[in-house]
Amino acid sequence: MRKPITSGDIITIRGKHLYVGDDDRSKRFFVRGIAFPIPPPSQTTRYYYYSYEDIVSDEELNDQSYLSGWISVLEQLANDTDINTIRLYEMDCRFNYSTFLSRAAELGIYVMIPLTTLTGPGVLRRTTAAPACYSRILFDYGASCLERFWDYPNVIAGVVGNEVMNSLKGWKAAPCVKAYLDDLARFGKRVFKTKSKSGGGTARMTFPLLYAAQHDSPSAEQLPDEAIKLTFDYLSCHYPKSDNDEDSFRLLDNTVIFGINIESWCSSLQTFDYEENGIDESSYHSLWRTLFKGTKLETTMDAVTTEVTVKEIPTISPKPLSIPIVFSEMGCSKYLFNRDNGLQQPSLARDWKQIAVVLDHPMSDEMSGFIAYGYDGGGNAAFRMMGDDNVRWDGIEPLPPSMDYDNFCNELSNATRAGRTRMDEAFGSNHSANSTLWVPARCEEISTKLEQLWSVELYPLSKMPSYNAERESHINILVDSAAVILSVPEYNRKVDISVALVAIIAVVAAIAAAAKYQWSDVSKKRKTYMKVPADSNYGSCKC
């Protein structure tokens, strides 16, 4: 029986874990998800070419007729599987998705939304070096997403970037991802304060933000596990504006989730500890040890006796993570699964045995679940769970199941039944022991380390624009001016009416200035972002 998601079921972050609710009775939450299919162009291009200057009718903005197909897929997944989360890749926050999100909540399904777009105002240019890859238009788009979806209790997180830093060239855009992440974290705090003071209150205290990194390394010098750790160190670092800048140090507390897009586990003979040969350490165990134990294995062979010695040594960044980690895309290519062991099936179906591993000890002690990749494989047959290799989702009818999907359903059901009691008993409401706050590194230190390791010179984060700070400062100056005008001495009582009128004009000017600030450069960039090439921050490298 699926339980609808209400305001008391908002997912919160405490230290390195996710929880349902935000009180002493809250229990740990494990993402059991699937990547939602990519809508057809007929359902997406209609809004990617609207600029903020265009006059779009309320009818167009609120047209949700096409979402009936999305809801059909939701209902298919809810009926067939034990998933509790989906990850969306394409949407536009300016449009109305209320029927879809409400139906997902009724079905007990959380939704992970993208905070970037393929084209239009939400583009983060992954091949453009900082600071040019981060624009005010992008921040305004992301901020509008947070405001629009803040009160939906089943929106679990917003994805600020997906596999942007996949190469040394891609790392040139890393400061833009970091600046966007920090700006939205600060904006989220403002939204919470505003809603709290408005009288209506808000059930949500934070809007979790997620960056999804590919389980790979941009350099042959570092293993993928270490590259992942360095990526997370960079995105969670702080650059204080003063020695007592507590806001910078604690900015990302209980706000950030790190995602890993992982394609390993390509054999039915693999276990958590070993690869299929029973000798080499498995990719899952290696990643778990690197991120949470801060060690890696070093193998040496005695030149005389040929005796092999394996020992654990500290990694390049040995400090264990204390931030929620989710496999934001999980699944080997079907073409590679069991390819070299004689067990490959004609259907190329994966067995999805790793689901039980992720949801069991010791990975579940540290990790917070997974998103299986994917319903339609993002259009890539190698990762498609539904239908045959040549059929793409039409946005209307759900795709028929395959053996790959059936295996997924069975493994998820078994793991969920086996783990439900254990998880409740093991974690229950006592999350104080797991609420240790992450102590971020200073950005100068991690940037220097990256430059030494990969010879990549990153644009200083201290020089990156903060559009949230600019907008807040611009508005505050005018609002403060209005406040000064209103503080009239007692003897000037007879001009109170005039003063009040001046104050009102000042406040109106503040609002107008904010609007002008928000969209002032749209006309200059309109043609640019309407023709963004396909190097934007979208989907996965597999798409």
Side-chain angles (χ1 to χ4, degrees):
M1 179 68 68
R2 287 187 167 271
K3 176 181 176 293
I5 297 170
T6 66
S7 59
D9 301 313
I10 291 174
I11 301 303
T12 58
I13 299 172
R14 292 295 182 91
K16 61 184 178 182
H17 294 151
L18 303 177
Y19 289 88
V20 180
D22 192 35
D23 55 35
D24 292 338
R25 295 171 296 176
S26 59
K27 294 183 179 182
R28 273 198 67 186
F29 178 80
F30 292 84
V31 173
R32 305 189 307 269
I34 189 170
F36 204 72
I38 303 298
S42 62
Q43 295 182 358
T44 56
T45 54
R46 70 185 191 92
Y47 52 67
Y48 279 141
Y49 294 96
Y50 286 129
S51 80
Y52 283 107
E53 282 188 324
D54 290 328
I55 300 175
V56 185
S57 69
D58 289 342
E59 182 179 359
E60 289 175 295
L61 288 172
N62 291 298
D63 175 24
Q64 301 185 67
S65 58
Y66 66 97
L67 293 178
S68 59
W70 297 31
I71 292 173
S72 295
V73 172
L74 265 183
E75 293 172 343
Q76 177 190 35
L77 294 172
N79 291 330
D80 292 350
T81 75
D82 287 315
I83 68 160
N84 59 15
T85 306
I86 59 169
R87 177 180 172 186
L88 293 181
Y89 287 83
E90 283 198 25
M91 65 187 305
D92 188 317
C93 297
R94 296 169 294 175
F95 287 77
N96 191 342
Y97 294 87
S98 59
T99 57
F100 175 76
L101 292 173
S102 296
R103 183 57 179 148
E106 292 172 357
L107 295 170
I109 296 176
Y110 290 90
V111 182
M112 194 177 290
I113 65 170
L115 299 179
T116 57
T117 57
L118 176 59
T119 61
V123 169
L124 193 158
R125 300 287 297 279
R126 65 173 72 220
T127 59
T128 302
C133 46
Y134 182 40
S135 68
R136 185 187 303 158
I137 293 175
L138 172 59
F139 167 71
D140 289 332
Y141 175 81
S144 71
C145 294
L146 264 61
E147 287 183 312
R148 175 175 284 272
F149 298 118
W150 187 275
D151 292 322
Y152 287 94
N154 62 324
V155 173
I156 186 174
V159 180
V160 299
N162 187 84
E163 299 187 2
V164 178
M165 291 89 83
N166 279 2
S167 64
L168 294 180
K169 182 178 180 180
W171 264 94
K172 292 288 188 178
C176 295
V177 178
K178 171 64 174 170
Y180 189 38
L181 174 67
D182 287 1
D183 265 1
L184 289 183
R186 288 189 173 92
F187 183 77
K189 294 179 185 294
R190 286 176 52 198
V191 173
F192 171 70
K193 290 179 180 178
T194 300
K195 286 181 173 288
S196 298
K197 293 177 180 178
S198 66
T202 175
R204 184 187 294 277
M205 297 183 66
T206 61
F207 196 109
L209 304 169
L210 182 146
Y211 175 78
Q214 184 182 29
H215 185 229
D216 201 355
S217 175
S219 168
E221 301 300 320
Q222 268 72 47
L223 295 171
D225 302 339
E226 289 187 290
I228 286 283
K229 179 59 165 56
L230 290 169
T231 300
F232 293 164
D233 286 348
Y234 178 80
L235 292 177
S236 63
C237 73
H238 74 110
Y239 43 102
K241 297 178 175 60
S242 65
D243 292 337
N244 298 317
D245 188 1
E246 183 69 14
D247 176 64
S248 168
F249 189 70
R250 297 266 65 106
L251 173 63
L252 301 180
D253 283 354
N254 301 327
T255 300
V256 172
I257 304 170
F258 284 137
I260 302 173
N261 296 346
I262 187 166
E263 296 181 20
S264 56
W265 200 283
C266 291
S267 169
S268 294
L269 303 178
Q270 182 174 342
T271 67
F272 172 62
D273 295 298
Y274 299 105
E275 294 292 338
E276 67 177 10
N277 60 14
I279 300 173
D280 298 329
E281 182 184 25
S282 82
S283 55
Y284 277 41
H285 190 277
S286 173
L287 178 64
W288 168 81
R289 185 175 33 72
T290 298
L291 295 183
F292 303 110
K293 305 300 178 184
T295 64
K296 62 181 179 179
L297 297 184
E298 181 182 68
T299 303
T300 57
M301 177 182 290
D302 188 282
V304 178
T305 66
T306 68
E307 180 181 356
V308 176
T309 303
V310 180
K311 64 179 180 179
E312 288 191 33
I313 62 173
T315 63
I316 195 70
S317 178
K319 182 180 176 182
L321 278 175
S322 186
I323 286 175
I325 304 293
V326 171
F327 282 157
S328 42
E329 287 178 4
M330 182 180 79
C332 176
S333 164
K334 293 195 295 184
Y335 302 138
L336 299 179
F337 190 77
N338 282 337
R339 183 187 63 178
D340 302 322
N341 58 18
L343 298 176
Q344 192 172 63
Q345 300 293 313
S347 65
L348 304 179
R350 297 165 287 185
D351 64 15
W352 293 100
K353 297 292 185 182
Q354 71 267 43
I355 290 175
V357 172
V358 176
L359 296 180
D360 199 359
H361 172 82
M363 289 200 79
S364 64
D365 297 347
E366 314 291 348
M367 302 224 7
S368 294
F370 65 89
I371 299 290
Y373 196 79
Y375 185 93
D376 70 339
N380 188 334
F383 299 91
R384 186 190 303 276
M385 297 172 70
M386 306 294 286
D388 60 47
D389 291 351
N390 300 315
V391 176
R392 298 196 64 164
W393 185 48
D394 62 5
I396 302 172
E397 296 294 333
L399 293 175
S402 66
M403 184 175 291
D404 190 79
Y405 178 72
D406 291 340
N407 290 344
F408 168 78
C409 294
N410 292 333
E411 290 300 322
L412 179 57
S413 178
N414 293 337
T416 302
R417 283 199 303 269
R420 185 174 287 123
T421 301
R422 178 187 59 79
M423 291 173 187
D424 288 348
E425 291 176 349
F427 304 104
S429 62
N430 181 18
H431 50 65
S432 59
N434 299 315
S435 300
T436 304
L437 291 177
W438 170 250
V439 180
R442 293 179 71 96
C443 292
E444 311 92 87
E445 296 173 3
I446 185 64
S447 295
T448 299
K449 182 182 291 187
L450 291 170
E451 184 174 352
Q452 293 171 344
L453 291 172
W454 296 339
S455 299
V456 55
E457 186 174 352
L458 299 176
Y459 189 83
L461 287 168
S462 58
K463 295 183 179 180
M464 285 295 296
S466 175
Y467 299 114
N468 174 68
E470 287 182 17
R471 179 161 67 177
E472 188 172 38
S473 173
H474 193 83
I475 294 173
N476 284 345
I477 290 173
L478 290 168
V479 172
D480 288 346
S481 298
V484 169
I485 294 172
L486 285 172
S487 59
V488 184
E490 188 69 23
Y491 61 81
N492 209 14
R493 195 180 287 271
K494 57 187 174 183
V495 294
D496 278 356
I497 295 178
S498 299
V499 168
L501 288 174
V502 172
I504 291 171
I505 293 172
V507 172
V508 171
I511 296 172
K516 181 180 180 181
Y517 163 82
Q518 193 167 0
W519 314 121
S520 61
D521 59 352
V522 167
S523 59
K524 299 177 183 177
K525 299 187 177 182
R526 179 179 178 183
K527 294 182 179 179
T528 302
Y529 75 65
M530 286 174 66
K531 299 180 180 179
V532 174
D535 66 353
S536 56
N537 176 38
Y538 158 67
S540 166
C541 66
K542 298 183 284 291
C543 297

